[in-house]
Amino acid sequence: MTEIREAEEFLSSYLDAEFEEAKAVRAESDDVLAQRTAVSETFMHAVPGAIMASIYGRPPMTDAELADYARTVGEVAHRKLFLVAEHPNVAWGPIFAGYISGNHPMSLGAYGLLLYVADIKGQPKIISSYYPDRLSTAVPTVWRHAAGAEFGGLQPPVRVRGIQAPTRAEHRRDWEQRRSSAPES
């Protein structure tokens, strides 16, 4: 994967799979949930010494408990992809950073997830995830490592693709800074 549009398409496909998995957590049988999780995890690659797996799961539930939980499926939203940035990296080759919304209807206008994608054996794979520091309003946004490879200081982006701006004020300012930090692709 060498094109930013390929990274955008890959991340969009992942977000579709993640949404189906998130709904299955609340409304589907264990077998269906396991299938949805398996699909989501095909987008991921765990580097040695790090875990990279689905963020979703649920404890065992009776049919009645699951039926009650299914009433909350409306609390799950399809995440939005805000921006993709390409960063050069000596060890990995191009790294694509996907800036993504939260997964609740009330958090669709704010950052909720940062995913790093790299080429692994000829296939794009998510190799790392970060969450925004919920207590920080700093610009640029402060990110906390969640899973996968850790990236301390990536080189500045060489290309960016702004897809849609967040509505949360500090995240919009961060998005605008990132979007103007490199040529638009």
Side-chain angles (χ1 to χ4, degrees):
M1 176 179 60
T2 59
E3 295 297 322
I4 203 164
R5 287 191 186 273
E6 290 176 281
E8 178 186 352
E9 290 170 9
F10 172 80
L11 286 163
S12 293
S13 293
Y14 168 72
L15 294 177
D16 292 343
E18 186 209 49
F19 180 55
E20 292 304 314
E21 181 186 6
K23 291 188 303 184
V25 165
R26 294 174 185 249
E28 298 290 348
S29 69
D30 290 344
D31 289 342
V32 171
L33 174 56
Q35 291 169 7
R36 299 286 192 274
T37 299
V39 170
S40 291
E41 289 182 346
T42 65
F43 289 84
M44 301 174 190
H45 174 78
V47 299
I51 295 171
M52 193 70 231
S54 169
I55 62 169
Y56 295 105
R58 76 168 174 237
M61 294 184 161
T62 65
D63 290 343
E65 289 170 329
L66 184 57
D68 284 343
Y69 198 31
R71 292 187 187 116
T72 68
V73 76
E75 296 173 13
V76 176
H78 191 294
R79 293 182 193 262
K80 296 178 182 180
L81 181 59
F82 293 129
L83 183 133
V84 179
E86 179 185 343
H87 299 268
N89 186 280
V90 175
W92 293 94
I95 297 283
F96 294 92
Y99 295 83
I100 298 165
S101 76
N103 62 351
H104 185 277
M106 298 298 289
S107 64
L108 287 176
Y111 286 154
L113 186 63
L114 169 59
L115 297 176
Y116 287 107
V117 176
D119 185 278
I120 305 294
K121 298 180 182 174
Q123 297 293 317
K125 294 289 182 180
I126 298 166
I127 59 169
S128 185
S129 65
Y130 284 74
Y131 292 104
D133 185 330
R134 300 272 183 228
L135 301 178
S136 176
T137 57
V139 176
T141 301
V142 176
W143 294 93
R144 302 285 179 217
H145 180 254
E150 287 194 61
F151 293 100
L154 281 176
Q155 294 180 30
V158 293
R159 290 183 293 172
V160 297
R161 178 153 168 71
I163 297 144
Q164 88 179 78
T167 55
R168 184 172 169 178
E170 63 269 20
H171 294 171
R172 183 178 187 90
R173 287 192 307 275
D174 177 272
W175 183 87
E176 289 167 350
Q177 284 181 3
R178 290 182 194 283
R179 191 166 177 214
S180 66
S181 68
E184 184 88 17
S185 180

